Amino acid sequence: EAEVAQSPRYKITEKSQAVAFWCDPISGHATLYWYRQILGQGPELLVQFQDESVVDDSQLPKDRFSAERLKGVDSTLKIQPAELGDSAMYLCASSLSPLAGTDTQYFGPGTRLTVL
Amino acid sequence: AQTVTQSQPEMSVQEAETVTLSCTYDTSESDYYLFWYKQPPSRQMILVIRQEAYKQQNATENRFSVNFQKAAKSFSLKISDSQLGDAAMYFCAYRGFYGGATNKLIFGTGTLLAVQP
C-alpha cells in the first residue's frame, strides 16, 4: 500500500540553526499539506500545495518558515532560524484532489523536531 | 471560523467492551465533512471514519460507528468490541465541503484511549 514518506523521523537542533524536512506524497496525489502538531494539541495546517502552487499558507510564519514543491511532487519545509517554540511534530499529508467530496488526506509518520 | 472541541483528554475501556468518544464542533456552513482519525504511538495518523453532513444516516466501518447530530453539532465515535490495537490518540476533524483553500482539516485536541486487557 502506498504511503506518504517523510524524513528525517527525528531532528534535534539548537535554536538559531536551520532545519529542513522532506516529504514524498503518494504517487499521483496533486495536493500536499504540511501540518504542525504541538504536544497535547491537534495538528494545524501550515501550508497547502495544489501541484506546485501554494493555495493556503495563512498560518505559515513566513519570517522564518518556507515551503516549496518545485516539480509538484515532493516537498521541503524549512525553518531558519529555529526557535524553542518550534518544537513539535511536523506532519505531511497528501490527497488526490480537494475538489472531490470524498477526498481523503493520507498522513506520513511525521518529523519530531526538538529545539534546544 | 470553524472549531472542533474534544472534551475528553483521556478515556479507558476494557478489552471487548464498548466506548464512546465525544466531539462537538461549530460552523456556520450547512455542508461539510467530519472525520475521526486515529494516531497510534509513533505511527502515522490514519482515517477511521468519515461522515458527510448532508447524509442523515450515520456512518459505520466494521466496529466503528458514529452518532452524528447535525442540529446539536455533535459527532461521537463508538468503538465496539474494543481491541488492544485500538489504543491510540483519536482526533475529531472538520473539513469544509468545497475544495481549494477551504480543504484543510480542522482538528480537535484529541482523546487518548487506553484499552485494558
Side-chain angles (χ1 to χ4, degrees):
Chain A
E1 182 176 311
E3 294 184 339
V4 176
Q6 289 187 249
S7 67
R9 293 291 307 277
Y10 304 92
K11 178 69 178 180
I12 300 174
T13 190
E14 295 185 344
K15 63 180 181 179
S16 80
Q17 296 298 304
V19 293
F21 313 131
W22 177 79
C23 172
D24 191 15
I26 293 173
S27 178
H29 280 194
T31 312
L32 186 146
Y33 313 79
W34 284 101
Y35 288 86
R36 177 170 61 185
Q37 184 179 13
I38 296 172
L39 188 64
Q41 299 181 20
E44 288 186 308
L45 181 74
L46 290 175
V47 61
Q48 175 184 339
F49 289 93
Q50 181 64 30
D51 299 309
E52 67 275 10
S53 301
V54 173
V55 296
D56 186 354
D57 63 356
S58 56
Q59 299 303 309
L60 187 71
K62 298 180 187 64
D63 57 333
R64 298 185 300 106
F65 286 64
S66 64
E68 61 183 14
R69 194 185 184 198
L70 293 177
K71 297 183 178 179
V73 181
D74 59 339
S75 175
T76 302
L77 178 69
K78 298 178 181 177
I79 308 175
Q80 183 174 17
E83 295 181 353
L84 296 179
D86 297 332
S87 294
M89 176 76 84
Y90 290 83
L91 298 170
C92 180
S94 71
S95 69
L96 196 58
S97 169
L99 298 180
T102 56
D103 189 53
T104 296
Q105 295 184 27
Y106 295 88
F107 285 81
T111 296
R112 169 77 66 188
L113 173 66
T114 302
V115 182
L116 303 176
Chain B
Q2 294 84 10
T3 58
V4 176
T5 302
Q6 294 179 250
S7 58
Q8 305 157 315
E10 298 182 13
M11 293 282 286
S12 182
V13 63
Q14 293 289 327
E15 201 174 0
E17 296 297 308
T18 296
V19 64
T20 299
L21 309 184
S22 301
C23 173
T24 59
Y25 59 95
D26 190 27
T27 183
S28 58
E29 299 177 345
S30 58
D31 291 321
Y32 47 86
Y33 296 91
L34 295 166
F35 305 84
W36 279 98
Y37 275 87
K38 171 185 177 181
Q39 188 177 39
S42 301
R43 296 183 62 186
Q44 61 254 56
M45 198 174 313
I46 57 173
L47 178 66
V48 174
I49 199 165
R50 169 179 46 226
Q51 175 76 44
E52 292 87 349
Y54 58 86
K55 289 186 177 179
Q56 292 187 335
Q57 186 174 6
N58 289 323
T60 62
E61 287 288 343
N62 300 313
R63 298 182 295 107
F64 298 87
S65 62
V66 299
N67 183 4
F68 172 51
Q69 301 290 327
K70 191 173 184 179
K73 295 181 181 175
S74 171
F75 182 61
S76 60
L77 174 70
K78 185 172 80 172
I79 306 174
S80 303
D81 186 26
S82 297
Q83 301 176 359
L84 295 177
D86 294 333
M89 182 72 85
Y90 286 81
F91 289 98
C92 178
Y94 169 102
R95 196 194 87 202
F97 187 77
Y98 298 103
T102 60
N103 199 54
K104 68 180 179 183
L105 291 169
I106 298 171
F107 288 89
T109 52
T111 296
L112 182 62
L113 177 66
V115 181
Q116 306 300 328

